[in-house]
Amino acid sequence: MGRVILSDGVYLAMGLGALGAAVVPRLVFKRPLSMPIVFLAAGALVAVLPLPVPTVDPVRDRLWVEHATELCVIVSLMGAGLALNRPFGRRAWAGPWRLLGISLPLTIAGTALLAALLLDWPPALALLVAAVLAPTDPVLAAEVRVGEPTDAEDDEDEVRFALTAEAGLNDGLAFPFVLAALALATAAGDGWSGEWIGRWLLVDVLFKIAAGVAVGFVAGRLLGRMFFRAQANALRLSEHMEGFVALGATFLAYGAAELLHGYGFLAVFVTACTIRAAERSHGYHRVLHEFTEQIERLLTVCLLFLLGGFLVTDGLPALTWQGALVAVLLVLVVRPVAGLLGLLGFAAGPREKTVTAFFGIRGIGSLFYLAYALGHGTSLVADEARQLWAVVAFAVLISVVLHGVAATPVIRRLDRLRRTSPAPP
């Protein structure tokens, strides 16, 4: 009987969650509130009430957490790539390149230093938590990401474009730093060694990035040709307007890249951008994007609900004040400063640079990286794993609340100022 009640409770929660995923975004639209805040709070509330809804322990349920967050990330990467209207290029993408090439390493270095000083963690552990918290995730604040695909290439403001493109690429480019932490832990334990650096640069940086990009480009070109130019009508899928094809493209690119030992996250995002470039103005892109957005929203709602429950039952009780301070300083100091340093000399106004630097949102990607790292080569005992989960989950909580509350008023004011008095370059 207990198992029946538990199952019924899960179905009830899933039904309410799915309906909420459709209703809540419209209720909070243009308000200083976001859907992620609502479902985080709902998960926390349900966890403290005597209701037959299970909670997730990410240490015990690590494999489940890894694959659930992995699925959410790759679906969101496909949606992000399809939404970008601006053609790929060195100058057109100057903002994201600066955030990735300068701000990302600075954020990792700053966070690792904080973890070493405040938490007294060894180098490998400090680097791991810094790499895990490095990716940004505008999925959790819809106001600061690019909307649906349009015909115009220049209708994206620099803030939304930079944050969306950064998130699309840094979900893959943070992976080398996670693997660096694992390699350092294997080579030196609690100490330091440089023996791993050569192989890391050659394999984990150069080869895996190149393989991920190559797979994404080839997959995108082949799929783009099939979708829009295939001779057979049955293969020219743009004629049939079926959105679930986006999942096929996502899984194909990700699986191929991972089998070839490349970064699947990069492959998915590059595939999406390449498909978009195949026929940029076609309405099929909107169909594909809308489908991925709906799947992404359902997955995000589920994961944030469970995260809220974990925070009140295990996450916050295991959090030390030092770990909380690391998370707060990351969100309020390290990322904004690193973002501004990366955008120095960039052809955008000071308002745009400040907002872009501030909205370095932490989210589902961080949860995936930590679950992955704890299952691939680390020798952390349960207490250390729980401390890591507490710090990372608290950082996501701060980011969801702070950026979720600030996104609507800040972006609306920025849009209003841009229309009335554009900022000088």
Side-chain angles (χ1 to χ4, degrees), residues 84-125:
L84 292 173
N85 302 316
R86 191 177 304 186
F88 185 82
R90 182 176 64 85
R91 291 186 178 181
W93 286 48
W97 294 142
R98 288 170 173 269
L99 292 172
L100 294 165
I102 302 173
S103 301
L104 178 65
L106 288 177
T107 301
I108 293 174
T111 308
L113 182 61
L114 286 175
L117 294 176
L118 293 175
L119 297 167
D120 196 27
W121 282 355
L125 203 57

mmCIF file of all heavy atoms in Angstrom, residues 84-125:
data_model
loop_
_atom_site.group_PDB
_atom_site.id
_atom_site.type_symbol
_atom_site.label_atom_id
_atom_site.label_comp_id
_atom_site.label_asym_id
_atom_site.label_seq_id
_atom_site.Cartn_x
_atom_site.Cartn_y
_atom_site.Cartn_z
ATOM 1 N N LEU A 84 19.466 31.627 -31.836
ATOM 2 C CA LEU A 84 20.377 32.722 -32.179
ATOM 3 C C LEU A 84 20.207 33.122 -33.638
ATOM 4 O O LEU A 84 20.368 32.309 -34.549
ATOM 5 C CB LEU A 84 21.822 32.302 -31.905
ATOM 6 C CG LEU A 84 22.180 32.109 -30.432
ATOM 7 C CD1 LEU A 84 23.584 31.536 -30.291
ATOM 8 C CD2 LEU A 84 22.077 33.438 -29.685
ATOM 9 N N ASN A 85 19.908 34.390 -33.854
ATOM 10 C CA ASN A 85 19.699 34.893 -35.215
ATOM 11 C C ASN A 85 20.991 35.369 -35.861
ATOM 12 O O ASN A 85 21.094 35.423 -37.081
ATOM 13 C CB ASN A 85 18.698 36.054 -35.185
ATOM 14 C CG ASN A 85 17.371 35.655 -34.580
ATOM 15 O OD1 ASN A 85 16.846 34.590 -34.878
ATOM 16 N ND2 ASN A 85 16.832 36.497 -33.714
ATOM 17 N N ARG A 86 21.966 35.757 -35.063
ATOM 18 C CA ARG A 86 23.186 36.364 -35.587
ATOM 19 C C ARG A 86 24.095 35.310 -36.201
ATOM 20 O O ARG A 86 24.420 34.309 -35.557
ATOM 21 C CB ARG A 86 23.924 37.083 -34.461
ATOM 22 C CG ARG A 86 25.061 37.966 -34.930
ATOM 23 C CD ARG A 86 25.699 38.707 -33.769
ATOM 24 N NE ARG A 86 24.715 39.494 -33.023
ATOM 25 C CZ ARG A 86 25.042 40.322 -32.041
ATOM 26 N NH1 ARG A 86 26.311 40.472 -31.694
ATOM 27 N NH2 ARG A 86 24.110 41.002 -31.404
ATOM 28 N N PRO A 87 24.547 35.497 -37.440
ATOM 29 C CA PRO A 87 25.459 34.526 -38.061
ATOM 30 C C PRO A 87 26.755 34.406 -37.271
ATOM 31 O O PRO A 87 27.243 35.377 -36.682
ATOM 32 C CB PRO A 87 25.709 35.118 -39.453
ATOM 33 C CG PRO A 87 24.551 36.020 -39.704
ATOM 34 C CD PRO A 87 24.168 36.569 -38.375
ATOM 35 N N PHE A 88 27.319 33.216 -37.285
ATOM 36 C CA PHE A 88 28.538 32.945 -36.549
ATOM 37 C C PHE A 88 29.699 33.709 -37.174
ATOM 38 O O PHE A 88 29.832 33.790 -38.389
ATOM 39 C CB PHE A 88 28.828 31.446 -36.586
ATOM 40 C CG PHE A 88 29.993 31.019 -35.764
ATOM 41 C CD1 PHE A 88 29.855 30.814 -34.408
ATOM 42 C CD2 PHE A 88 31.228 30.828 -36.344
ATOM 43 C CE1 PHE A 88 30.940 30.405 -33.639
ATOM 44 C CE2 PHE A 88 32.314 30.417 -35.595
ATOM 45 C CZ PHE A 88 32.168 30.209 -34.236
ATOM 46 N N GLY A 89 30.550 34.304 -36.339
ATOM 47 C CA GLY A 89 31.710 35.022 -36.853
ATOM 48 C C GLY A 89 32.570 35.558 -35.730
ATOM 49 O O GLY A 89 32.136 35.698 -34.588
ATOM 50 N N ARG A 90 33.813 35.882 -36.055
ATOM 51 C CA ARG A 90 34.748 36.357 -35.039
ATOM 52 C C ARG A 90 34.330 37.702 -34.482
ATOM 53 O O ARG A 90 34.306 37.915 -33.263
ATOM 54 C CB ARG A 90 36.159 36.457 -35.638
ATOM 55 C CG ARG A 90 37.228 36.901 -34.644
ATOM 56 C CD ARG A 90 38.596 36.874 -35.295
ATOM 57 N NE ARG A 90 38.677 37.828 -36.392
ATOM 58 C CZ ARG A 90 38.978 39.125 -36.237
ATOM 59 N NH1 ARG A 90 39.212 39.617 -35.029
ATOM 60 N NH2 ARG A 90 39.049 39.922 -37.287
ATOM 61 N N ARG A 91 33.972 38.642 -35.342
ATOM 62 C CA ARG A 91 33.596 39.971 -34.872
ATOM 63 C C ARG A 91 32.163 40.001 -34.345
ATOM 64 O O ARG A 91 31.882 40.625 -33.334
ATOM 65 C CB ARG A 91 33.750 40.987 -36.005
ATOM 66 C CG ARG A 91 35.203 41.240 -36.387
ATOM 67 C CD ARG A 91 35.309 42.353 -37.416
ATOM 68 N NE ARG A 91 36.691 42.640 -37.754
ATOM 69 C CZ ARG A 91 37.079 43.584 -38.614
ATOM 70 N NH1 ARG A 91 36.153 44.318 -39.236
ATOM 71 N NH2 ARG A 91 38.357 43.769 -38.852
ATOM 72 N N ALA A 92 31.264 39.326 -35.044
ATOM 73 C CA ALA A 92 29.864 39.337 -34.615
ATOM 74 C C ALA A 92 29.691 38.699 -33.244
ATOM 75 O O ALA A 92 28.807 39.074 -32.484
ATOM 76 C CB ALA A 92 29.004 38.616 -35.648
ATOM 77 N N TRP A 93 30.560 37.751 -32.910
ATOM 78 C CA TRP A 93 30.486 37.042 -31.638
ATOM 79 C C TRP A 93 31.589 37.499 -30.675
ATOM 80 O O TRP A 93 31.993 36.744 -29.790
ATOM 81 C CB TRP A 93 30.592 35.538 -31.864
ATOM 82 C CG TRP A 93 29.361 34.917 -32.452
ATOM 83 C CD1 TRP A 93 28.636 35.357 -33.530
ATOM 84 C CD2 TRP A 93 28.698 33.741 -31.992
ATOM 85 N NE1 TRP A 93 27.585 34.527 -33.779
ATOM 86 C CE2 TRP A 93 27.596 33.519 -32.847
ATOM 87 C CE3 TRP A 93 28.935 32.844 -30.962
ATOM 88 C CZ2 TRP A 93 26.731 32.440 -32.690
ATOM 89 C CZ3 TRP A 93 28.083 31.773 -30.794
ATOM 90 C CH2 TRP A 93 26.994 31.574 -31.652
ATOM 91 N N ALA A 94 32.027 38.726 -30.824
ATOM 92 C CA ALA A 94 33.149 39.210 -30.005
ATOM 93 C C ALA A 94 32.819 39.181 -28.514
ATOM 94 O O ALA A 94 33.681 38.863 -27.682
ATOM 95 C CB ALA A 94 33.536 40.622 -30.435
ATOM 96 N N GLY A 95 31.583 39.533 -28.149
ATOM 97 C CA GLY A 95 31.199 39.525 -26.747
ATOM 98 C C GLY A 95 31.304 38.147 -26.117
ATOM 99 O O GLY A 95 31.969 37.969 -25.087
ATOM 100 N N PRO A 96 30.659 37.123 -26.699
ATOM 101 C CA PRO A 96 30.806 35.769 -26.147
ATOM 102 C C PRO A 96 32.246 35.276 -26.121
ATOM 103 O O PRO A 96 32.649 34.607 -25.166
ATOM 104 C CB PRO A 96 29.954 34.919 -27.095
ATOM 105 C CG PRO A 96 28.936 35.861 -27.631
ATOM 106 C CD PRO A 96 29.626 37.175 -27.756
ATOM 107 N N TRP A 97 33.035 35.593 -27.158
ATOM 108 C CA TRP A 97 34.431 35.150 -27.152
ATOM 109 C C TRP A 97 35.174 35.720 -25.955
ATOM 110 O O TRP A 97 35.979 35.026 -25.324
ATOM 111 C CB TRP A 97 35.146 35.576 -28.432
ATOM 112 C CG TRP A 97 34.674 34.949 -29.702
ATOM 113 C CD1 TRP A 97 34.567 35.547 -30.918
ATOM 114 C CD2 TRP A 97 34.275 33.589 -29.923
ATOM 115 N NE1 TRP A 97 34.104 34.664 -31.861
ATOM 116 C CE2 TRP A 97 33.922 33.455 -31.278
ATOM 117 C CE3 TRP A 97 34.164 32.485 -29.083
ATOM 118 C CZ2 TRP A 97 33.482 32.248 -31.814
ATOM 119 C CZ3 TRP A 97 33.719 31.282 -29.618
ATOM 120 C CH2 TRP A 97 33.385 31.172 -30.960
ATOM 121 N N ARG A 98 34.931 36.979 -25.628
ATOM 122 C CA ARG A 98 35.599 37.588 -24.478
ATOM 123 C C ARG A 98 35.146 36.949 -23.172
ATOM 124 O O ARG A 98 35.958 36.707 -22.271
ATOM 125 C CB ARG A 98 35.306 39.097 -24.454
ATOM 126 C CG ARG A 98 36.025 39.887 -25.541
ATOM 127 C CD ARG A 98 35.499 41.306 -25.607
ATOM 128 N NE ARG A 98 36.279 42.130 -26.527
ATOM 129 C CZ ARG A 98 37.331 42.856 -26.159
ATOM 130 N NH1 ARG A 98 37.711 42.879 -24.884
ATOM 131 N NH2 ARG A 98 38.000 43.573 -27.042
ATOM 132 N N LEU A 99 33.863 36.676 -23.062
ATOM 133 C CA LEU A 99 33.360 36.035 -21.845
ATOM 134 C C LEU A 99 33.933 34.628 -21.677
ATOM 135 O O LEU A 99 34.205 34.179 -20.555
ATOM 136 C CB LEU A 99 31.838 35.985 -21.873
ATOM 137 C CG LEU A 99 31.114 37.335 -21.778
ATOM 138 C CD1 LEU A 99 29.623 37.161 -22.026
ATOM 139 C CD2 LEU A 99 31.350 37.981 -20.411
ATOM 140 N N LEU A 100 34.128 33.941 -22.784
ATOM 141 C CA LEU A 100 34.648 32.578 -22.722
ATOM 142 C C LEU A 100 36.159 32.548 -22.548
ATOM 143 O O LEU A 100 36.687 31.749 -21.771
ATOM 144 C CB LEU A 100 34.267 31.824 -24.003
ATOM 145 C CG LEU A 100 32.776 31.566 -24.206
ATOM 146 C CD1 LEU A 100 32.489 31.168 -25.645
ATOM 147 C CD2 LEU A 100 32.291 30.482 -23.251
ATOM 148 N N GLY A 101 36.862 33.402 -23.278
ATOM 149 C CA GLY A 101 38.318 33.353 -23.267
ATOM 150 C C GLY A 101 38.958 34.065 -22.090
ATOM 151 O O GLY A 101 40.081 33.720 -21.686
ATOM 152 N N ILE A 102 38.262 35.056 -21.525
ATOM 153 C CA ILE A 102 38.833 35.838 -20.430
ATOM 154 C C ILE A 102 38.044 35.639 -19.138
ATOM 155 O O ILE A 102 38.595 35.267 -18.100
ATOM 156 C CB ILE A 102 38.885 37.336 -20.798
ATOM 157 C CG1 ILE A 102 39.701 37.550 -22.074
ATOM 158 C CG2 ILE A 102 39.459 38.153 -19.647
ATOM 159 C CD1 ILE A 102 39.669 38.968 -22.599
ATOM 160 N N SER A 103 36.745 35.886 -19.204
ATOM 161 C CA SER A 103 35.930 35.854 -17.986
ATOM 162 C C SER A 103 35.822 34.450 -17.391
ATOM 163 O O SER A 103 35.862 34.290 -16.165
ATOM 164 C CB SER A 103 34.529 36.403 -18.275
ATOM 165 O OG SER A 103 34.601 37.729 -18.749
ATOM 166 N N LEU A 104 35.676 33.423 -18.235
ATOM 167 C CA LEU A 104 35.537 32.056 -17.726
ATOM 168 C C LEU A 104 36.773 31.614 -16.945
ATOM 169 O O LEU A 104 36.643 31.164 -15.794
ATOM 170 C CB LEU A 104 35.227 31.095 -18.875
ATOM 171 C CG LEU A 104 35.100 29.610 -18.501
ATOM 172 C CD1 LEU A 104 33.896 29.384 -17.597
ATOM 173 C CD2 LEU A 104 34.982 28.744 -19.751
ATOM 174 N N PRO A 105 37.991 31.725 -17.496
ATOM 175 C CA PRO A 105 39.170 31.341 -16.698
ATOM 176 C C PRO A 105 39.347 32.188 -15.445
ATOM 177 O O PRO A 105 39.751 31.671 -14.397
ATOM 178 C CB PRO A 105 40.337 31.544 -17.676
ATOM 179 C CG PRO A 105 39.731 31.479 -19.030
ATOM 180 C CD PRO A 105 38.361 32.066 -18.885
ATOM 181 N N LEU A 106 39.049 33.497 -15.529
ATOM 182 C CA LEU A 106 39.168 34.347 -14.345
ATOM 183 C C LEU A 106 38.177 33.934 -13.263
ATOM 184 O O LEU A 106 38.499 33.944 -12.065
ATOM 185 C CB LEU A 106 38.941 35.810 -14.726
ATOM 186 C CG LEU A 106 40.048 36.495 -15.514
ATOM 187 C CD1 LEU A 106 39.634 37.925 -15.879
ATOM 188 C CD2 LEU A 106 41.356 36.509 -14.726
ATOM 189 N N THR A 107 36.963 33.573 -13.668
ATOM 190 C CA THR A 107 35.967 33.105 -12.700
ATOM 191 C C THR A 107 36.419 31.828 -12.015
ATOM 192 O O THR A 107 36.279 31.677 -10.789
ATOM 193 C CB THR A 107 34.616 32.876 -13.398
ATOM 194 O OG1 THR A 107 34.176 34.102 -13.991
ATOM 195 C CG2 THR A 107 33.563 32.398 -12.418
ATOM 196 N N ILE A 108 36.962 30.904 -12.787
ATOM 197 C CA ILE A 108 37.453 29.650 -12.212
ATOM 198 C C ILE A 108 38.604 29.915 -11.256
ATOM 199 O O ILE A 108 38.649 29.374 -10.136
ATOM 200 C CB ILE A 108 37.862 28.679 -13.335
ATOM 201 C CG1 ILE A 108 36.623 28.240 -14.122
ATOM 202 C CG2 ILE A 108 38.598 27.475 -12.768
ATOM 203 C CD1 ILE A 108 36.938 27.396 -15.334
ATOM 204 N N ALA A 109 39.547 30.755 -11.664
ATOM 205 C CA ALA A 109 40.692 31.053 -10.808
ATOM 206 C C ALA A 109 40.251 31.731 -9.512
ATOM 207 O O ALA A 109 40.711 31.380 -8.415
ATOM 208 C CB ALA A 109 41.684 31.937 -11.557
ATOM 209 N N GLY A 110 39.347 32.710 -9.620
ATOM 210 C CA GLY A 110 38.881 33.412 -8.428
ATOM 211 C C GLY A 110 38.118 32.512 -7.475
ATOM 212 O O GLY A 110 38.313 32.566 -6.245
ATOM 213 N N THR A 111 37.244 31.665 -8.023
ATOM 214 C CA THR A 111 36.461 30.766 -7.169
ATOM 215 C C THR A 111 37.351 29.716 -6.519
ATOM 216 O O THR A 111 37.168 29.366 -5.343
ATOM 217 C CB THR A 111 35.356 30.085 -7.987
ATOM 218 O OG1 THR A 111 34.602 31.075 -8.700
ATOM 219 C CG2 THR A 111 34.422 29.295 -7.096
ATOM 220 N N ALA A 112 38.324 29.194 -7.267
ATOM 221 C CA ALA A 112 39.247 28.208 -6.694
ATOM 222 C C ALA A 112 40.060 28.814 -5.555
ATOM 223 O O ALA A 112 40.286 28.173 -4.523
ATOM 224 C CB ALA A 112 40.178 27.670 -7.785
ATOM 225 N N LEU A 113 40.485 30.051 -5.726
ATOM 226 C CA LEU A 113 41.226 30.728 -4.663
ATOM 227 C C LEU A 113 40.370 30.910 -3.420
ATOM 228 O O LEU A 113 40.832 30.682 -2.285
ATOM 229 C CB LEU A 113 41.735 32.084 -5.169
ATOM 230 C CG LEU A 113 42.579 32.916 -4.195
ATOM 231 C CD1 LEU A 113 43.846 32.144 -3.811
ATOM 232 C CD2 LEU A 113 42.933 34.265 -4.810
ATOM 233 N N LEU A 114 39.122 31.302 -3.601
ATOM 234 C CA LEU A 114 38.214 31.448 -2.461
ATOM 235 C C LEU A 114 38.006 30.116 -1.741
ATOM 236 O O LEU A 114 38.008 30.058 -0.500
ATOM 237 C CB LEU A 114 36.861 31.978 -2.939
ATOM 238 C CG LEU A 114 36.784 33.450 -3.345
ATOM 239 C CD1 LEU A 114 35.408 33.762 -3.912
ATOM 240 C CD2 LEU A 114 37.078 34.345 -2.147
ATOM 241 N N ALA A 115 37.816 29.044 -2.507
ATOM 242 C CA ALA A 115 37.608 27.734 -1.898
ATOM 243 C C ALA A 115 38.833 27.275 -1.120
ATOM 244 O O ALA A 115 38.712 26.687 -0.040
ATOM 245 C CB ALA A 115 37.244 26.712 -2.969
ATOM 246 N N ALA A 116 40.014 27.561 -1.663
ATOM 247 C CA ALA A 116 41.238 27.168 -0.968
ATOM 248 C C ALA A 116 41.443 27.965 0.315
ATOM 249 O O ALA A 116 41.852 27.415 1.347
ATOM 250 C CB ALA A 116 42.437 27.347 -1.898
ATOM 251 N N LEU A 117 41.144 29.260 0.269
ATOM 252 C CA LEU A 117 41.388 30.123 1.430
ATOM 253 C C LEU A 117 40.308 29.964 2.498
ATOM 254 O O LEU A 117 40.611 29.853 3.693
ATOM 255 C CB LEU A 117 41.472 31.580 0.981
ATOM 256 C CG LEU A 117 42.664 31.954 0.088
ATOM 257 C CD1 LEU A 117 42.569 33.410 -0.352
ATOM 258 C CD2 LEU A 117 43.979 31.699 0.813
ATOM 259 N N LEU A 118 39.036 29.986 2.085
ATOM 260 C CA LEU A 118 37.941 29.977 3.058
ATOM 261 C C LEU A 118 37.604 28.574 3.554
ATOM 262 O O LEU A 118 37.243 28.396 4.720
ATOM 263 C CB LEU A 118 36.699 30.617 2.443
ATOM 264 C CG LEU A 118 36.794 32.116 2.149
ATOM 265 C CD1 LEU A 118 35.548 32.600 1.418
ATOM 266 C CD2 LEU A 118 36.981 32.905 3.444
ATOM 267 N N LEU A 119 37.685 27.594 2.677
ATOM 268 C CA LEU A 119 37.304 26.231 3.045
ATOM 269 C C LEU A 119 38.498 25.343 3.370
ATOM 270 O O LEU A 119 38.316 24.207 3.810
ATOM 271 C CB LEU A 119 36.487 25.598 1.910
ATOM 272 C CG LEU A 119 35.149 26.276 1.606
ATOM 273 C CD1 LEU A 119 34.576 25.773 0.289
ATOM 274 C CD2 LEU A 119 34.160 26.021 2.729
ATOM 275 N N ASP A 120 39.704 25.848 3.106
ATOM 276 C CA ASP A 120 40.931 25.082 3.331
ATOM 277 C C ASP A 120 40.906 23.763 2.562
ATOM 278 O O ASP A 120 41.352 22.727 3.053
ATOM 279 C CB ASP A 120 41.128 24.817 4.833
ATOM 280 C CG ASP A 120 42.555 24.366 5.150
ATOM 281 O OD1 ASP A 120 43.464 24.736 4.391
ATOM 282 O OD2 ASP A 120 42.746 23.630 6.136
ATOM 283 N N TRP A 121 40.360 23.810 1.356
ATOM 284 C CA TRP A 121 40.307 22.620 0.526
ATOM 285 C C TRP A 121 41.610 22.446 -0.237
ATOM 286 O O TRP A 121 42.258 23.436 -0.606
ATOM 287 C CB TRP A 121 39.135 22.725 -0.450
ATOM 288 C CG TRP A 121 37.809 22.422 0.186
ATOM 289 C CD1 TRP A 121 37.588 21.995 1.466
ATOM 290 C CD2 TRP A 121 36.521 22.509 -0.428
ATOM 291 N NE1 TRP A 121 36.251 21.799 1.693
ATOM 292 C CE2 TRP A 121 35.562 22.114 0.553
ATOM 293 C CE3 TRP A 121 36.070 22.873 -1.686
ATOM 294 C CZ2 TRP A 121 34.206 22.070 0.289
ATOM 295 C CZ3 TRP A 121 34.713 22.830 -1.952
ATOM 296 C CH2 TRP A 121 33.788 22.433 -0.979
ATOM 297 N N PRO A 122 42.005 21.212 -0.540
ATOM 298 C CA PRO A 122 43.203 20.979 -1.345
ATOM 299 C C PRO A 122 43.011 21.491 -2.775
ATOM 300 O O PRO A 122 41.872 21.733 -3.207
ATOM 301 C CB PRO A 122 43.363 19.461 -1.303
ATOM 302 C CG PRO A 122 42.003 18.937 -0.987
ATOM 303 C CD PRO A 122 41.358 19.966 -0.106
ATOM 304 N N PRO A 123 44.109 21.654 -3.524
ATOM 305 C CA PRO A 123 44.008 22.255 -4.873
ATOM 306 C C PRO A 123 43.005 21.565 -5.790
ATOM 307 O O PRO A 123 42.240 22.236 -6.496
ATOM 308 C CB PRO A 123 45.433 22.123 -5.414
ATOM 309 C CG PRO A 123 46.298 22.125 -4.196
ATOM 310 C CD PRO A 123 45.505 21.412 -3.139
ATOM 311 N N ALA A 124 42.983 20.234 -5.796
ATOM 312 C CA ALA A 124 42.081 19.521 -6.712
ATOM 313 C C ALA A 124 40.626 19.795 -6.373
ATOM 314 O O ALA A 124 39.790 20.026 -7.259
ATOM 315 C CB ALA A 124 42.365 18.019 -6.672
ATOM 316 N N LEU A 125 40.303 19.789 -5.089
ATOM 317 C CA LEU A 125 38.921 20.018 -4.671
ATOM 318 C C LEU A 125 38.498 21.458 -4.925
ATOM 319 O O LEU A 125 37.363 21.726 -5.346
ATOM 320 C CB LEU A 125 38.764 19.664 -3.192
ATOM 321 C CG LEU A 125 37.366 19.304 -2.697
ATOM 322 C CD1 LEU A 125 36.804 18.134 -3.494
ATOM 323 C CD2 LEU A 125 37.389 18.983 -1.215
#
